[in-house]
Amino acid sequence: MEKRARGGKPPSNQASQPPPPPRKERRPSMFEKESYAQILRERLRESFHDVQYVEPPFDDSIADIGKEWKSALAKLKFANSYRMEPLKKFQAHSVETKVQQILKESLEDVKYDDKVFSHLSLELADHILLAVKEFGYHRYKLIIKVLFIQKTGQAINIASRWIWDVAWDSWVAAKHETETYVALALVFALYCE
């Protein structure tokens, strides 16, 4: 039960009441010319998504800021073509010859070193990706895996699983073998409809 002071009013506990919350600062409006440049800078700093269309700025001083971030973030968007098959089918035999040639040239005099191979595998994957892109297989997603296996008398099995369209998707494996290691490059070509 609550004790009441004389006069029938409850005692006031001003010390136990929480302080009023601080006032939030008002966000700038994009319709105010002064704050438009600030909003553009914040979007440039915080944006991670594609920009399809950008409103032109209000005046010339803001136009320079808009050009910088518009060109940095804008990506071309293409409409769906509803194409169910590629213009040029992935030809595994020509890609395999090219990948085999790249492995042979790159690893000709290289000895096994696990510290060097961690960087070399990334460089080889990038080099193979660029070489396969030159064939001009449009709408194919290319996945490159480069593996270095040290020879120590062991056996190894490598397996990959994909959801596969047998008609258009394909893969290539190329191997380069020396006395101390085996280099294996896998190229997966997946057609994106």
Side-chain angles (χ1 to χ4, degrees):
M1 263 195 144
E2 196 175 283
K3 291 187 180 182
R4 294 184 183 233
R6 287 187 186 193
K9 294 182 182 174
S12 63
N13 294 336
Q14 292 185 6
S16 64
Q17 291 180 353
R23 291 190 71 167
K24 291 184 179 177
E25 188 175 312
R26 187 178 77 83
R27 288 180 19 184
S29 170
M30 65 180 284
F31 299 106
E32 297 172 4
K33 288 185 179 182
E34 299 81 31
S35 60
Y36 191 74
Q38 178 185 354
I39 292 171
L40 289 179
R41 284 191 201 100
E42 287 174 6
R43 283 185 185 170
L44 175 62
R45 218 176 310 118
E46 297 170 2
S47 178
F48 291 106
H49 61 278
D50 296 336
V51 176
Q52 290 181 351
Y53 176 74
V54 178
E55 286 279 332
F58 294 114
D59 59 353
D60 294 336
S61 65
I62 302 172
D64 296 335
I65 298 167
K67 287 177 188 173
E68 293 172 13
W69 72 272
K70 184 177 176 182
S71 63
L73 294 178
K75 272 190 175 178
L76 291 176
K77 292 251 179 186
F78 296 103
N80 194 348
S81 67
Y82 301 101
R83 179 176 298 281
M84 300 301 286
E85 59 187 43
L87 295 172
K88 181 179 178 184
K89 189 175 176 183
F90 186 80
Q91 298 168 348
H93 61 277
S94 58
V95 173
E96 184 178 359
T97 335
K98 184 67 174 176
V99 173
Q100 188 69 41
Q101 178 187 357
I102 291 171
L103 286 176
K104 187 177 180 182
E105 290 173 359
S106 301
L107 303 173
E108 196 169 354
D109 297 325
V110 178
K111 299 292 180 197
Y112 184 82
D113 183 10
D114 56 350
K115 294 175 185 171
V116 173
F117 278 179
S118 62
H119 298 291
L120 187 60
S121 63
L122 294 173
E123 290 174 14
L124 271 174
D126 289 340
H127 188 64
I128 291 170
L129 180 64
L130 291 174
V132 174
K133 281 185 176 181
E134 288 176 4
F135 284 102
Y137 300 119
H138 298 288
R139 299 180 70 140
Y140 272 96
K141 181 177 184 176
L142 300 169
I143 300 166
I144 317 298
K145 290 175 81 174
V146 178
L147 305 166
F148 288 101
I149 304 148
Q150 184 180 14
K151 284 186 178 178
T152 56
Q154 80 279 19
I156 188 167
N157 288 326
I158 298 171
S160 298
R161 285 184 148 180
W162 302 93
I163 297 176
W164 206 257
D165 180 5
V166 181
W168 308 118
D169 298 340
S170 186
W171 66 282
V172 169
K175 182 171 80 170
H176 178 76
E177 192 168 347
T178 65
E179 294 177 3
T180 56
Y181 67 91
V182 176
L184 181 66
L186 300 169
V187 179
F188 299 97
L190 307 169
Y191 182 66
C192 297
E193 297 174 350

